Amino acid sequence: MYRHLALPAFALALASCTGTKQTATYQPMDGDILFQSLPNEPGMDLVDAIEGATESPYSHCGMVFQEDDNWWVIEAIGPVKVTQLQDYIDRGREDKLWAYRFKEEHRKHIPAALAAMKEDLGKPYDPRYRFDSEAIYCSELIYRGWQSATGHGLGKVVTLGSLKWEHYKPVIEAIEGPGNHPLDREMITPRDLAKAPELERVWAKD
């Protein structure tokens, strides 16, 4: 169904690091949420806006799963799609990667959450960060999947106006239109998803 990915390939690609609850290499588990800093090359103003407005290095996230003995990440980047884990890791800026894992008492919901997320495969990316089912952004994909599986969301929903948005008016207006700043718009950012009490950080390469 998906292209082959050998486990040693991505294990060796990650350098050793130190810290609490970490091993020398990231060892994936179903349901892990991987946060990364996307490349902020020219034309990637939205990446700078996400990181700057949230005061966080997290500009993207996806959920890990295993299928046919291979590891994948389901993510909303362009359309909602499935990406080889190694390709996901390689995309990150300066190889930065943060892995969060559901605490044991919540892991029973992971299969249902993944199944719900896969129902969104192919939907377009939503740069407006709206809560709807027509277009999906990265943290919303995970939030929606968890909500479908458990009846409640994951992480704290915030408004645009509560973020450090002012410096990024040109980016917002390029998406929303001149003079349009939807400060009351509710969203789940990668930063606020990572703060969910159901999760704990298990690996990091800062």
Side-chain angles (χ1 to χ4, degrees), residues 89-162:
I89 292 169
D90 289 345
R91 182 202 300 138
R93 187 170 76 245
E94 300 173 356
D95 297 324
K96 294 178 180 179
L97 186 76
W98 299 266
Y100 284 73
R101 185 162 293 163
F102 283 99
K103 297 174 182 176
E104 185 63 34
E105 63 267 30
H106 303 291
R107 294 189 57 79
K108 61 186 177 183
H109 301 297
I110 290 171
L114 279 166
M117 291 167 65
K118 289 177 182 179
E119 292 181 3
D120 285 330
L121 284 169
K123 290 185 177 180
Y125 182 77
D126 185 7
R128 300 177 68 186
Y129 268 51
R130 299 164 298 177
F131 273 124
D132 62 38
S133 60
E134 301 303 315
I136 309 293
Y137 57 92
C138 63
S139 40
E140 180 194 15
L141 176 67
I142 298 170
Y143 184 97
R144 281 167 51 87
W146 194 251
Q147 187 174 51
S148 176
T150 66
H152 57 82
L154 186 67
K156 181 183 178 181
V157 173
V158 299
T159 63
L160 175 62
S162 70

Side-chain angles (χ1 to χ4, degrees), residues 39-45 48:
N40 56 352
E41 302 163 351
M44 300 289 286
D45 294 339
D48 289 335

Side-chain angles (χ1 to χ4, degrees), residues 53 158-166 172 181-187 189 191:
V158 299
T159 63
L160 175 62
S162 70
L163 305 177
K164 301 293 185 181
W165 65 275
E166 294 90 345
I172 296 169
H181 311 124
L183 302 185
D184 293 333
R185 179 166 299 161
E186 293 186 328
M187 59 187 68
T189 72
R191 176 200 69 184

Side-chain angles (χ1 to χ4, degrees), residues 51-115:
E51 294 179 11
T54 60
E55 300 179 287
S56 166
Y58 300 168
S59 48
H60 185 57
C61 56
M63 184 177 283
V64 174
F65 68 98
Q66 188 178 36
E67 185 167 302
D68 299 328
D69 296 323
N70 302 312
W71 289 100
W72 310 90
V73 180
I74 184 168
E75 58 175 341
I77 185 168
V80 178
K81 63 178 184 176
V82 168
T83 302
Q84 288 190 4
L85 178 55
Q86 181 65 66
D87 290 342
Y88 183 97
I89 292 169
D90 289 345
R91 182 202 300 138
R93 187 170 76 245
E94 300 173 356
D95 297 324
K96 294 178 180 179
L97 186 76
W98 299 266
Y100 284 73
R101 185 162 293 163
F102 283 99
K103 297 174 182 176
E104 185 63 34
E105 63 267 30
H106 303 291
R107 294 189 57 79
K108 61 186 177 183
H109 301 297
I110 290 171
L114 279 166

Side-chain angles (χ1 to χ4, degrees), residues 20-43:
T20 305
K21 297 184 178 179
Q22 291 184 168
T23 58
T25 56
Y26 167 58
Q27 303 297 320
M29 288 182 63
D30 273 343
D32 284 358
I33 302 176
L34 298 186
F35 295 84
Q36 64 182 182
S37 301
L38 289 174
N40 56 352
E41 302 163 351

